[in-house]
Amino acid sequence: MTHQKIFTPDEWRPLIDRVLAHFFSAGGIEGSVVTQLITYLSLANQWNQKLNLTGAHSVDEFVDLFVSDGAALARAVGAASGERWVDVGSGAGAPAIALALLAPEIQMTLIEPRTKRAAFLRTVIGTLGRGDIRVERRRSQELPEAHWHVAMSRAALPPDQWLKQGSRLASSVWVLLGRGDWPTLKNWRREQELVYRWPLTGAERRAARFVRVLGA
């Protein structure tokens, strides 16, 4: 994505609409949520000029990167009312922020150790007025064990290392992959698997939810 280009809300909207239409039925997402996603992408676009939040090479890739995985997860989890989720190594907030906006029943915590990226995340959450989404500037090793229902991370660690670390934090762990083999971990099994494409760029994506084997 060209760093000098700042996109307007009118430029973001049709791209976001295409992503949401791919994952949800027509009219299934409230207009206020679309507005919040536009605000999120606009802030990411502005901060990306200096902070280099993402290496996206086009506006289509930018929108897919920030919205599409979150939309795929939101469709998969449905009404996860009251579930506590943690996104480790949140970086620019993808896919956690889009997921939290599209599935507001989730209680989301974003974990990011880098000061400037944590500041970006706090700016986004404050601008959106979403006090229910928490941002903590901490390292994953400092997090309490078994504190959340669901843990996820995108590219913070290699998949096998992430599954091992996520298993310490929650009873359910999402692993997101573009390609490659699924990780394995003793006493954990893959319970749910998603196979999809980013709507704007066609990139192949996969996501799987791992759960602890009962009695293990």
Side-chain angles (χ1 to χ4, degrees):
M1 184 176 183
T2 303
H3 284 194
Q4 287 70 34
K5 173 67 173 178
I6 296 292
F7 291 88
T8 67
D10 288 341
E11 291 174 298
W12 290 124
R13 184 176 294 276
L15 299 175
I16 292 173
D17 285 344
R18 283 174 58 191
V19 170
L20 297 180
H22 180 83
F23 290 105
F24 302 98
S25 60
I29 303 300
E30 295 182 2
S32 60
V33 175
V34 177
T35 299
Q36 289 180 318
L37 287 169
I38 290 172
T39 298
Y40 172 36
L41 265 66
S42 296
L43 286 168
N45 187 197
Q46 293 165 17
W47 280 64
N48 198 43
Q49 311 306 306
K50 294 183 179 181
L51 192 54
N52 194 25
L53 291 171
T54 170
H57 294 98
S58 68
V59 64
D60 284 355
E61 186 179 0
F62 192 90
V63 175
D64 269 339
L65 183 70
F66 279 85
V67 181
S68 293
D69 288 334
L73 288 172
R75 182 179 65 178
V77 303
S81 182
E83 278 192 344
R84 297 189 307 276
W85 285 56
V86 61
D87 181 42
V88 177
S90 196
I97 291 178
L99 170 59
L101 295 177
L102 292 164
E105 302 86 358
I106 288 173
Q107 300 177 31
M108 183 67 73
T109 300
L110 311 179
I111 304 297
E112 173 53 49
R114 293 165 292 186
T115 301
K116 291 182 180 179
R117 281 169 172 75
F120 164 72
L121 295 173
R122 291 192 177 103
T123 298
V124 171
I125 301 310
T127 303
L128 293 175
R130 288 293 301 268
D132 56 321
I133 303 175
R134 299 179 59 194
V135 178
E136 296 185 16
R137 190 172 70 83
R138 303 172 69 181
R139 297 187 180 277
S140 58
Q141 299 90 330
E142 303 168 350
L143 300 176
E145 294 187 10
H147 182 70
W148 291 274
H149 297 109
V150 184
M152 69 174 177
S153 182
R154 187 172 73 183
L157 291 169
D160 56 339
Q161 293 181 35
W162 161 240
L163 179 56
K164 183 177 181 179
Q165 181 145 159
S167 70
R168 186 180 68 83
L169 306 176
S171 56
S172 176
V173 179
W174 277 96
V175 177
L176 285 79
L177 284 178
R179 59 180 63 86
D181 297 329
W182 291 115
T184 59
L185 184 65
K186 184 179 179 181
N187 298 328
W188 283 72
R189 62 182 174 85
R190 194 166 71 248
E191 183 173 82
Q192 184 177 6
E193 185 173 340
L194 311 178
V195 179
Y196 58 98
R197 288 182 180 271
W198 279 355
L200 303 180
T201 61
E204 296 182 2
R205 301 292 294 167
R206 291 182 296 153
R209 183 169 70 94
F210 290 76
V211 297
R212 194 183 305 276
V213 176
L214 293 178

